[in-house]
Amino acid sequence: MRLSRYFLPILKETPKEAEIVSHRLMLRTGMIRQEAAGIYAWLPIGLKVLRKVEQVVREEQNRAGAIELLMPTIQSADLWRESGRYDDYGKEMLRIQDRHEREMLFGPTNEEMITEIFRAYVRSYRDLPLNLYHIQWKFRDEVRPRFGVMRSREFLMKDAYSFDLDQEGARASYNRMFVAYLRTFARLGLKAIPMVAESGPIGGDMSHEFIILARTGESEVFCDKALLDLPIPAEDTDFDSDLSPIVSEWLSFYAATDEKHEPTRFEAEVPAERRISARGIEVGHIFYFGTKYSEPMKAVIAGPDGVERPVHMGSYGIGPTRLVAAIIEASHDEAGIVWPDSVAPFDVGLINLKAGDPMTDTACGDLYDKLRAAGRDVLYDDTDERAGAKFATMDVIGLPWQLIVGPKGLAEGTVEIKRRATGERHALSAESALARLA
Ligand code: ATP
Ligand code: MG
Ligand code: MG
Ligand code: MG
């Protein structure tokens, strides 16, 4: 993409309304624009990152055996009356009336709808286990939308729902999502720690929030430092095998949000030098809730004995829009964002230091074509801005690599490459630069 033809509305000033660094940087780099309180438009460079985050989430859901579908954003109130949640959900739910005065709502989550779909088609234990997910916009009328897309009212969620014959099966489904989540967040360059969370009326130990430690996080969390160094399950993990040894290892170290925190246990189990008491951002939440929806909504399956019983369910959420902000919170410096390779909006930023100079234009055009032919996504700054402004723009938008080309270097037969994360710069021949980046 040539910057002269792109839409990258970088702001010169730091927006005053933004309280946290990710929100400031997302506004400054033209990733998002607020259209109403807690409601954002995703501008081109922001959308590119969001799509990449989504894709990592999708790949890891698929790897774990979950199957993608797509449910609508608008739901009927009647569905929620069946589960009894229509009245309980309260003001966070955006309620809408259509022209026939039918009560509708903008979905804050999809347990009811997926249960309705399941019961329409699945009758036998032979069709289980089943895990269905979608990546769809949600609306929650948050009391205090803030920090940009970190806590917005309209936000994207990946929500998966598992169906099993019994609690034992449900635990295996839970473990698959647990491992998928560890892999997902690691691929996004994040250290997300699964922490015991409030599990509601069902009880048991089957609810975990995945939390990233960050000063600006809204949750208060307590955990063992050892969790930061545990190995992430490999790409070739067999999701058909028993995953409980992996899950048990993670759960053997203390980690809890403030609601579930037990100070005496924390002090007894964790040596003083390994105790982390910090703030965190919830980026995912997995949850087993048994027959909470299947019972009232009559989603029943026949077991091997022919007897019908309500199906056991779990739900598994990740917030891709919140994750974009969380990644920035975890990866930035004074100059701006430092994107992990896996989600960077472009792979390489090509800087032409003297647009209009025939030799520089030709060299840049050639590098641009060759990098693109090699499958790299390149943002080519072909504008006539000053060099300093170009460097600042590339730094603030945080592309992993910069390729800097100017007449001085070219006269000596060199271009420069810069790694954004470390700031390291090397002068080398155009061929070597290509070999490095392509
Ligand atoms: P929070 O405690 O932050 O309000 P939650 O517990 O209400 O989140 P869940 O119902 O567990 O959220 O939803 C699953 C995921 O959706 C969360 O882990 C988070 O990543 C994302 N999410 C929830 N609410 C928001 C929001 N208002 N803005 C952006 N992402 C959100
Ligand atoms: Mg909430
Ligand atoms: Mg929460
Ligand atoms: Mg939650």
Side-chain angles (χ1 to χ4, degrees), residues 92 140 142 151 282 322:
E92 245 188 46
R140 293 182 185 176
E142 301 276 353
R151 179 171 301 283
E282 176 190 332
R322 176 178 290 181

Side-chain angles (χ1 to χ4, degrees), residues 164-412:
D164 286 276
L165 179 64
D166 51 27
Q167 183 164 356
E168 199 189 320
R171 182 172 285 277
S173 291
Y174 188 88
N175 289 349
R176 282 192 284 275
M177 285 294 110
F178 191 106
V179 171
Y181 276 38
L182 291 174
R183 287 194 41 78
T184 302
F185 298 122
R187 282 186 61 188
L188 297 173
L190 296 169
K191 288 207 184 250
I193 303 170
M195 304 207 182
V196 180
E198 203 54 70
S199 51
I202 311 282
D205 60 349
M206 297 243 277
S207 174
H208 290 89
E209 285 174 11
F210 284 73
I211 304 254
I212 292 163
L213 303 181
R215 264 183 303 111
T216 49
E218 292 184 283
S219 319
E220 201 184 344
V221 300
F222 304 86
C223 67
D224 189 328
K225 196 161 178 253
L227 285 159
L228 293 171
D229 300 315
L230 283 188
I232 299 298
E235 189 176 316
D236 63 357
T237 300
D238 178 7
F239 280 86
D240 291 325
S241 70
D242 177 14
L243 298 174
S244 55
I246 300 175
V247 175
S248 303
E249 188 187 16
W250 281 83
L251 300 187
S252 67
F253 295 96
Y254 189 96
T257 58
D258 55 354
E259 294 124 30
K260 300 293 276 185
H261 182 48
E262 298 169 57
T264 42
R265 250 197 67 207
F266 187 46
E267 275 155 42
E269 288 178 19
V270 189
E273 70 280 6
R274 289 205 332 238
R275 279 178 218 147
I276 295 182
S277 150
R279 304 199 65 83
I281 301 167
E282 176 190 332
V283 286
H285 193 166
I286 60 177
F287 198 62
Y288 163 70
F289 47 74
T291 59
K292 182 174 174 196
Y293 300 94
S294 56
E295 220 166 290
M297 294 186 67
K298 303 189 179 56
V300 295
I301 35 156
D305 52 8
V307 178
E308 286 193 331
R309 61 203 94 189
V311 70
H312 283 251
M313 293 174 62
S315 73
Y316 313 89
I318 289 184
T321 45
R322 176 178 290 181
L323 269 171
V324 173
I327 293 168
I328 298 174
E329 288 294 321
S331 185
H332 67 269
D333 60 19
E334 295 84 63
I337 303 169
V338 181
W339 288 117
D341 295 317
S342 57
V343 298
F346 294 91
D347 304 313
V348 181
L350 172 60
I351 301 179
N352 182 332
L353 289 177
K354 199 167 186 196
D357 170 58
M359 187 166 79
T360 314
D361 288 351
T362 307
C364 285
D366 189 50
L367 286 165
Y368 181 55
D369 291 341
K370 288 185 173 146
L371 284 169
R372 286 195 310 158
R376 311 310 295 185
D377 201 4
V378 183
L379 181 63
Y380 172 22
D381 189 344
D382 58 344
T383 66
D384 47 21
E385 277 281 352
R386 332 171 263 113
K390 290 190 175 190
F391 291 140
T393 295
M394 279 303 173
D395 278 352
V396 77
I397 67 173
L399 308 183
W401 294 98
Q402 295 172 17
L403 180 52
I404 303 156
V405 182
K408 252 204 223 130
L410 288 174
E412 290 160 18

Side-chain angles (χ1 to χ4, degrees), residues 41-78:
W42 286 78
L43 305 182
I45 208 173
L47 181 63
K48 269 175 148 278
V49 177
L50 179 59
R51 291 288 186 241
K52 289 201 173 177
V53 169
E54 250 180 79
Q55 190 52 25
V56 170
V57 171
R58 176 177 289 116
E59 284 169 14
E60 293 303 327
Q61 290 293 293
N62 294 348
R63 191 194 307 281
I67 303 164
E68 187 170 11
L69 47 62
L70 184 60
M71 292 178 269
T73 53
I74 306 293
Q75 308 186 20
S76 111
D78 287 339

